[in-house]
Amino acid sequence: MDDNEKDVVMDGEDHRMADGSSAANRFLDPAKNGEGSSRETSNGQSANAAAQAEDQDSDPTGYPERLRRRGLLPTGCCYDDRMKLHANADFGPNPHHPEDPSRIEYIMKTFKKHGLVFTGSDADLIRIIQSEPTKYMWRIPAREATREEICIVHHPEHFLWVEALSRMTTQELRELSTRMDQGRDSLYVGSMTYEASLISAGGAIETCKSVVVGNVKNAFAVIRPPGHHAEYKAAMGFCLFNNVPIAAKICQADYPELCRKILILDWDVHHGNGIQNMFYDDPNILYISLHVYRNGEFYPGKPDSPFTPDGGIEHCGAGPGLGKNVNIGWHDQGMGDGEYMAAFQKIVMPIAHEFNPDLVIISAGFDAAAGDELGGCFVTPACYAHMTHMLMSLAGGKVAVCLEGGYDLEAISKSALAVAQTLMGEPPPKMEIPRISREAAKVLAKVQAYQAPYWECMRPGIVDVQDMQAQESSRLHDVVRRAQRQVLSEKHGMLSLYIQRPTLFKSFENQVLVTRGIQNARKILLIVHDPPELHAQPDPLDNSIEPHNAWVTDGVTRYIDWAVEKGFGVIDVNVPHYITHPEDTDAFTPRADERTLQAQVQELMCYLWDNYLQLYESAEDIFLMGVGNAYLGIKVLLINRLDVRTRVSGVVNFVNGSLRPVKSDADADLSSWYKEHSQVYVANDHACWSDPDLTRKVMKRRFGNVIRAPVNGLTPMMAEHFADVQRFILERLGEGEGEGEEGMGCGGGGS
């Protein structure tokens, strides 16, 4: 007999329970125990309780009733060596498969090694049971699920297909495995696959039922094959029967008073398409999945039918189940503790608490664990412990963990150990939570927006864009720009420059303003800048923002005022952080990535140069100014138009983001020219000042004449160096301080 079969967990099978109300499954329903049929003894104690107290002496291996009455319950564990018999019939030259039979064995060995499982003598076992039974995991015997139980979520034809595997020849099994172990099926089979699958499903059932009726406080089912990919009529993704939905539906059917609403939390790195589709319109099953989506390319990928939802975050359920499907589909692999903890804090736990389940089932795949090459993510055992601990705050602590994927034996064992230790009451280890990536934060913001119509906790800060559009509302960005245009029109007669490019027009409508008569100006200042900065103090109670508690800060205006006063023609280019799309319906529009922004800014700057600036023959001195991320426009203009530096007298940039080199293979002297003709002010807290090596690099000629500002933030920098910029420009005009009041040419502030 295998060592794991002999002493994997404490033998907690309570034979006294066989006469209880659920004797067929060896479980007693505590909701019925001692109620209705029990009679009182002379001292007021129920006869049933008195009988159990007597049984305690006759059955020393039964769980102490005095501890059960006090709510001191152990953590359960379900395991059966026979599940290892599911093995690949198509051995080939390399018999190893990611869904290896030893996965469950390694987990159990790890549990024993760390003292979660009792391995002592029978005499010690009785002593432990009587004195400290919660010290070890309590055994939940596995069994084969019945056909009726399987078919509660699967079509009978699917059951018969799996059953038929047990009658196939080895050659037939090998041919079937070769055919199916590829593409979306991704499945192998063997001669004992049917029996192992029944035990896996039966183990999930008994684990969940044991938690529901209160025989254990929580439990861990170490089972395989996994289940969450299995569909109503099809096996796929290493999965034959969908264990968790089977267990969930049976618990609801057998214990309707105890288990009406169930949360299924699936943290396997792959989307549990089978669970989602089985409960997509079910109002009493909340399915939350954290998985790598990668625009639908990551397994299980797109379903065959376009009408079947995949793991995209926009799929929120259907009919009465709307809002009961929450997909947190990461944009790519590489997610770690920061992303998963943020998902739990921002999405999972708020929705779960609002749902208020009677039972929590974790579809616990550990292929997002650090070390699992198939998943390619970096979730640590400590993070799994913290996620488990948070879920234990739900449903009165009734949490059933059912193993799904996870294919690195060391990673899966350490992660499962951390979960089991947390279930048993050990506090999660202290951990440093990394910062969440920008792209992952966008994913969570979008999930919140999609779920906001269905969950009160998701609504704060979420705007119904379609409702706003129906009310003819405007984005604040556009309102601010219209106000800027109005002010600059009244002060300096500036006009909007129409951009005659179909792809640019929508994004840059009203974003390019020019002074009248600029075509005749002798001096021109082109300013390309980020939008004004917004500052607001939300209400501490409801997080709302009142207009009188919000400010708009624009450091560019004073430069325009000065330039017009000095007789410059001015081109003011406001570069939005987002690219306008025809269907502008997202509640949260993230900033455009640098590649997209550069493509649009490059097209815009070259358009302005080709159609306006280079044609202004009267312009003797042109100055360029870049502010914030928009200073990228200065770089792309200098690199893509070789004649620019022959017309430009100076460049001023204010940088609080990425420092960008200006160099060109077509113009070897461009970097030197840029160094001699520029002032590049960089924020005091910029990363380039934190490392001497970085500092030396940025002082090279291709970054321009870099100057460390004594302040942080764009507006403070522009205010701090206002006089310096004036001096720099006037000196290059040969005017110096106090000069240049006359003879500045036309095109200033007049019409």
Side-chain angles (χ1 to χ4, degrees), residues 10 52 122 159 166-167 192 378 406 409-410 423 444 469-470 481 491 565 584 627 640 694:
M10 179 184 292
Q52 288 179 345
D122 290 344
F159 177 87
S166 61
R167 298 189 294 271
M192 297 298 291
F378 303 98
L409 297 180
E410 183 176 359
L423 292 174
L444 296 182
Q469 291 175 338
R481 188 55 178 172
K491 290 174 67 175
E565 179 187 345
D584 187 14
V627 180
N640 287 278
L694 286 176

Side-chain angles (χ1 to χ4, degrees), residues 227-546:
H228 73 149
H229 291 309
E231 294 279 9
Y232 173 60
K233 295 180 67 174
M236 62 175 285
F238 310 161
C239 304
L240 281 299
F241 297 136
N242 210 324
N243 306 316
V244 167
I246 293 169
K249 293 295 288 185
I250 289 174
C251 286
Q252 286 180 322
D254 289 358
Y255 310 107
E257 299 301 319
L258 291 175
C259 187
R260 185 173 68 90
K261 297 191 298 180
I262 298 177
L263 163 63
I264 300 175
L265 188 284
D266 187 344
W267 65 41
D268 191 285
V269 79
H270 304 99
H271 178 243
N273 54 289
I275 302 179
Q276 171 176 283
N277 294 334
M278 288 174 179
F279 297 127
Y280 203 61
D281 58 357
D282 192 322
N284 293 316
I285 301 285
L286 170 60
Y287 178 63
I288 305 179
S289 176
L290 296 96
H291 55 272
V292 174
Y293 181 61
R294 206 164 65 196
N295 200 31
E297 297 175 358
F298 199 73
Y299 191 86
K302 298 288 185 180
D304 296 332
S305 170
F307 301 105
T308 302
D310 65 357
I313 61 178
E314 70 275 13
H315 298 301
C316 305
L322 264 174
K324 301 306 190 295
N325 196 85
V326 182
N327 282 327
I328 304 174
W330 302 120
H331 61 288
D332 205 348
Q333 293 170 279
M335 302 298 102
D337 292 357
E339 288 75 24
Y340 275 74
M341 290 296 287
F344 260 68
Q345 292 166 352
K346 294 177 181 293
I347 307 293
V348 175
M349 295 311 298
I351 290 180
H353 277 293
E354 187 172 333
F355 180 66
N356 193 23
D358 302 311
L359 172 68
V360 176
I361 306 177
I362 304 177
S363 275
F366 294 108
D367 38 9
D372 192 300
E373 295 182 3
L374 197 63
C377 290
F378 303 98
V379 181
T380 65
C383 184
Y384 282 116
H386 278 272
M387 292 191 293
T388 303
H389 192 255
M390 284 187 272
L391 292 170
M392 289 167 64
S393 67
L394 303 164
K398 291 186 175 182
V399 177
V401 180
C402 295
L403 184 66
E404 296 284 1
Y407 308 104
D408 181 271
L409 297 180
E410 183 176 359
I412 192 176
S413 301
K414 289 181 177 179
S415 301
L417 174 66
V419 170
Q421 288 173 327
T422 305
L423 292 174
M424 294 181 72
E426 292 188 27
K430 181 180 179 181
M431 63 180 291
E432 296 291 334
I433 302 178
R435 292 184 62 181
I436 183 173
S437 73
R438 183 184 295 272
E439 291 301 317
K442 293 177 184 178
V443 169
L444 296 182
K446 288 184 177 180
V447 172
Q448 184 182 358
Y450 277 114
Q451 295 296 332
Y454 317 112
W455 301 101
E456 188 71 32
C457 60
M458 293 290 101
R459 290 173 194 159
I462 296 298
V463 176
D464 187 332
V465 176
Q466 292 182 332
D467 185 53
M468 292 294 101
Q469 291 175 338
Q471 299 176 35
E472 298 184 352
S473 303
S474 300
R475 288 189 179 269
L476 183 58
H477 170 93
D478 298 320
V479 174
V480 170
R481 188 55 178 172
R482 284 199 295 268
Q484 282 183 309
R485 185 184 63 174
Q486 180 70 20
V487 170
L488 293 174
S489 175
E490 292 176 356
K491 290 174 67 175
H492 308 304
M494 296 184 74
L495 306 169
S496 293
L497 187 68
Y498 182 77
I499 308 300
Q500 299 184 26
R501 289 290 185 275
T503 56
L504 289 177
F505 167 71
K506 191 61 180 176
S507 290
F508 290 99
E509 182 180 13
N510 293 324
Q511 307 301 330
V512 181
L513 305 178
V514 298
T515 51
R516 295 177 185 272
I518 191 171
Q519 68 275 11
N520 299 318
R522 286 168 46 198
K523 300 177 298 186
I524 293 177
L525 176 62
L526 168 64
I527 308 177
V528 53
H529 59 87
D530 287 354
E533 297 172 329
L534 304 179
H535 307 273
Q537 183 64 54
D539 186 291
L541 295 179
D542 60 10
N543 210 36
S544 62
I545 296 176
E546 298 292 340

Side-chain angles (χ1 to χ4, degrees), residues 144-165:
E144 292 186 356
T146 66
R147 173 175 175 170
E148 291 71 23
E149 288 172 330
I150 297 294
C151 291
I152 200 169
V153 300
H154 286 290
H155 193 284
E157 290 182 3
H158 176 62
F159 177 87
L160 295 174
W161 183 87
V162 179
E163 183 186 39
L165 298 174

